[in-house]
Amino acid sequence: MIIRIMGEGQYRAPEALCDELNKIDNRIVVLVSEGKTQEFRTELAKLISEIKEKGEAIGAEEILESDIIVPPEDLSLEEAKAIFTGSGIFED
């Protein structure tokens, strides 16, 4: 799966990592719906960190369509309410 972190580039993520990211994504959906700003920010930072650490960075010269687009770490809770709904950005 190809994941783009807005403003930071693309990463290739194996299926096992995607399963882990989906769990974080599901926690973010709950935190956003409960209006827990600090906890949401912590989990979003963790999501981005996991992608960077465990995914394979794709060079800027390689142009690939992204399967998932992850918002930037400075996303506000209000903006997150439009993105992290239902099953979140990762399909269950």
Side-chain angles (χ1 to χ4, degrees):
M1 177 174 290
I2 306 299
I3 300 173
R4 173 176 297 285
I5 301 172
M6 290 178 63
E8 297 193 41
Q10 288 184 304
Y11 295 81
R12 209 172 256 110
E15 189 173 329
L17 175 58
C18 291
D19 291 343
E20 184 179 333
L21 297 173
N22 186 40
K23 290 175 186 173
I24 298 169
D25 178 50
N26 289 338
R27 285 196 300 270
I28 292 172
V29 169
V30 171
L31 294 168
V32 168
S33 71
E34 293 174 350
K36 296 183 175 178
T37 304
Q38 189 55 48
E39 294 90 339
F40 144 70
R41 289 195 178 285
T42 299
E43 288 298 310
L44 180 58
K46 182 177 179 181
L47 180 76
I48 291 170
S49 176
E50 290 291 307
I51 294 166
K52 289 179 177 180
E53 289 176 19
K54 297 178 181 174
E56 175 192 339
I58 298 172
E61 69 282 349
E62 194 173 352
I63 299 173
L64 299 171
E65 184 176 342
S66 301
D67 298 303
I68 302 280
I69 298 175
V70 176
E73 204 168 320
D74 63 354
L75 186 74
S76 73
L77 182 64
E78 286 306 310
E79 293 169 320
K81 288 179 181 177
I83 298 169
F84 291 99
T85 61
S87 64
I89 58 175
F90 286 83
E91 294 296 320
D92 286 329

